[in-house]
């Protein structure tokens, strides 16, 4: 609550969801110390596993360069080639693709479903018959949010999203 010169009381609130995601280490080393990264209206792309080569995500990089719309790319890991390409182009200002990694800790066990529930995107997974180069530019797979903030504590995602059914499913699974 902040004092204001306005006569009417205005209350603004934002829904934020926090995920324990880390920046890819190679990408972070090349960027140097960064306290916070903020992106407005980014695309969220969640890959089960990891892309193997830069060729698998090249169409996404071209799309990002042309549209300049930020991309949050989440995967289990990134090969050095991909991390170096993303970091080099981030520093030049020609790409805005932020590679984040998820682990296998208890806090991240349901991460893909949680991010998809918030962003309304779909997981890119070989289990669904997805091939990364074929589906990475499919808007049906993309999640969207109003804003993200990445810090060393993780990723904060800002979006007014109704996640009640997702939460209820998780509660029912816990009870079972």
């Amino acid at each position: 609550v902040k004092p204001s010169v306005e006569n009417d009381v205005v209350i603004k609130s934002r829904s934020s969801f926090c995920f324990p995601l880390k920046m890819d280490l190679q990408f972070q080393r090349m960027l140097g110390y960064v306290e916070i990264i903020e992106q407005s209206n980014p695309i969220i792309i969640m890959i089960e596993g990891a892309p193997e080569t830069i060729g698998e995500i090249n169409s996404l990089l071209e799309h990002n360069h042309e549209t300049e719309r930020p991309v949050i790319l989440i995967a289990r890991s990134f090969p050095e080639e991909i991390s170096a390409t993303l970091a080099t182009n981030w520093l030049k200002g020609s790409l805005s693709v932020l590679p984040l990694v998820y682990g296998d800790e208890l806090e991240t066990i349901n991460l893909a479903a949680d991010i998809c529930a918030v962003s309304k995107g779909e997981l890119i997974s070989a289990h669904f018959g997805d091939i990364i180069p074929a589906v990475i530019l499919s808007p049906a797979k993309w999640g969207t949010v109003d804003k993200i903030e990445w810090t060393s504590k993780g990723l904060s995602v800002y979006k007014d999203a109704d996640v009640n059914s997702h939460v209820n499913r998780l509660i029912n699974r816990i009870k079972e």
Side-chain angles (χ1 to χ4, degrees), residues 104-159:
D104 53 5
E105 300 92 25
L106 183 59
E107 296 84 20
T108 62
I109 200 163
N110 204 51
L111 186 74
D114 294 344
I115 289 177
C116 290
V118 171
S119 71
K120 306 303 181 205
E122 291 183 17
L123 179 65
I124 295 175
S125 171
H127 294 297
F128 303 142
D130 295 334
I131 299 169
I132 294 172
V135 300
I136 201 154
L137 282 185
S138 172
K141 294 285 185 181
W142 297 349
T144 58
V145 296
D146 299 326
K147 174 182 158 183
I148 64 96
E149 290 177 356
W150 179 87
T151 66
S152 59
K153 294 179 183 176
L155 181 72
S156 294
V157 174
Y158 293 82
K159 182 171 182 171

Side-chain angles (χ1 to χ4, degrees), residues 21 26 29 31 45 87 112 115 127 146 151 157 172-174 176:
L21 293 167
Q26 173 73 19
R29 275 192 289 267
L31 250 56
I45 298 177
I115 289 177
H127 294 297
D146 299 326
T151 66
V157 174
N172 289 335
R173 282 176 52 193
I174 290 170
E176 289 173 6

Side-chain angles (χ1 to χ4, degrees), residues 58-125:
N58 190 56
S59 59
L60 175 67
L61 304 184
E62 289 173 353
H63 181 268
N64 176 254
H65 179 71
E66 291 167 8
T67 64
E68 298 182 0
R69 186 172 183 191
V71 175
I72 309 305
L73 187 58
I74 304 168
R76 177 81 59 198
S77 64
F78 293 93
E80 189 173 322
E81 169 196 24
I82 292 176
S83 297
T85 300
L86 295 178
T88 301
N89 286 288
W90 180 282
L91 291 169
K92 284 188 212 175
S94 59
L95 289 179
S96 56
V97 179
L98 181 63
L100 300 178
V101 295
Y102 63 93
D104 53 5
E105 300 92 25
L106 183 59
E107 296 84 20
T108 62
I109 200 163
N110 204 51
L111 186 74
D114 294 344
I115 289 177
C116 290
V118 171
S119 71
K120 306 303 181 205
E122 291 183 17
L123 179 65
I124 295 175
S125 171

